[in-house]
Amino acid sequence: QVQLVESGGNLVQPGGSLRLSCAASGFPLDYYIITWFRQAPGKEREGVSCINAEDGATYYADSVKGRFTISRDGAKNSVYLQMNSLKPEDTAVYYCAVRTRPGTLDGSNWYGARAYDYWGQGTQVTVSS
């Protein structure tokens, strides 16, 4: 059974850091595209960062460039999102999603939610003093 489980969300003060984890089971992440999305109350789901496990390419939303880093651990079949210098506007539920269907994504289309096939349940990140 294919499953994605996110963890690591928490309440953190502005300027703080968090590391989110996305653990996959039922399939190997080694050959797919994995993306972190987030959704704040009243807003649309937006792509935050993407990694192509096959070629290592990474992409970031402009709002998080220089602050967030996506990485992958093949041995643990997991993807991580290191979030530094957090801001109140980073508050959202964070989801990981995997694209397993044929066809790749690139810098022009990685952030579309419809391009992904499996989703986790989400983890809450709250940035507040």
Side-chain angles (χ1 to χ4, degrees):
Q1 181 180 358
V2 173
Q3 192 174 19
L4 298 171
V5 178
E6 302 97 333
S7 61
N10 210 332
L11 170 65
V12 63
Q13 292 186 342
S17 298
L18 282 176
R19 186 190 191 219
L20 304 184
S21 300
C22 173
S25 60
F27 68 102
L29 291 176
D30 296 352
Y31 310 107
Y32 302 118
I33 296 169
I34 308 98
T35 293
W36 285 97
F37 287 83
R38 67 185 180 187
Q39 188 165 21
K43 295 188 176 181
E44 293 188 356
R45 191 168 298 191
E46 65 169 340
V48 175
S49 182
C50 170
I51 184 166
N52 185 325
E54 274 200 303
D55 62 14
T58 58
Y59 306 99
Y60 295 91
D62 288 343
S63 58
V64 306
K65 279 181 182 176
R67 300 189 298 123
F68 291 11
T69 303
I70 192 169
S71 62
R72 185 179 71 89
D73 186 332
K76 295 184 178 180
N77 209 33
S78 295
V79 171
Y80 306 97
L81 186 68
Q82 178 66 44
M83 306 187 296
N84 299 328
S85 302
L86 283 161
K87 305 175 181 180
E89 50 263 43
D90 295 318
T91 296
V93 177
Y94 284 70
Y95 301 88
C96 64
V98 176
R99 176 182 175 90
T100 59
R101 73 188 79 162
T104 192
L105 301 174
D106 59 25
S108 67
N109 59 7
W110 63 270
Y111 43 81
R114 294 182 179 181
Y116 295 85
D117 302 294
Y118 296 99
W119 293 78
Q121 84 290 346
T123 185
Q124 176 70 47
V125 172
T126 303
V127 184
S128 175
S129 55

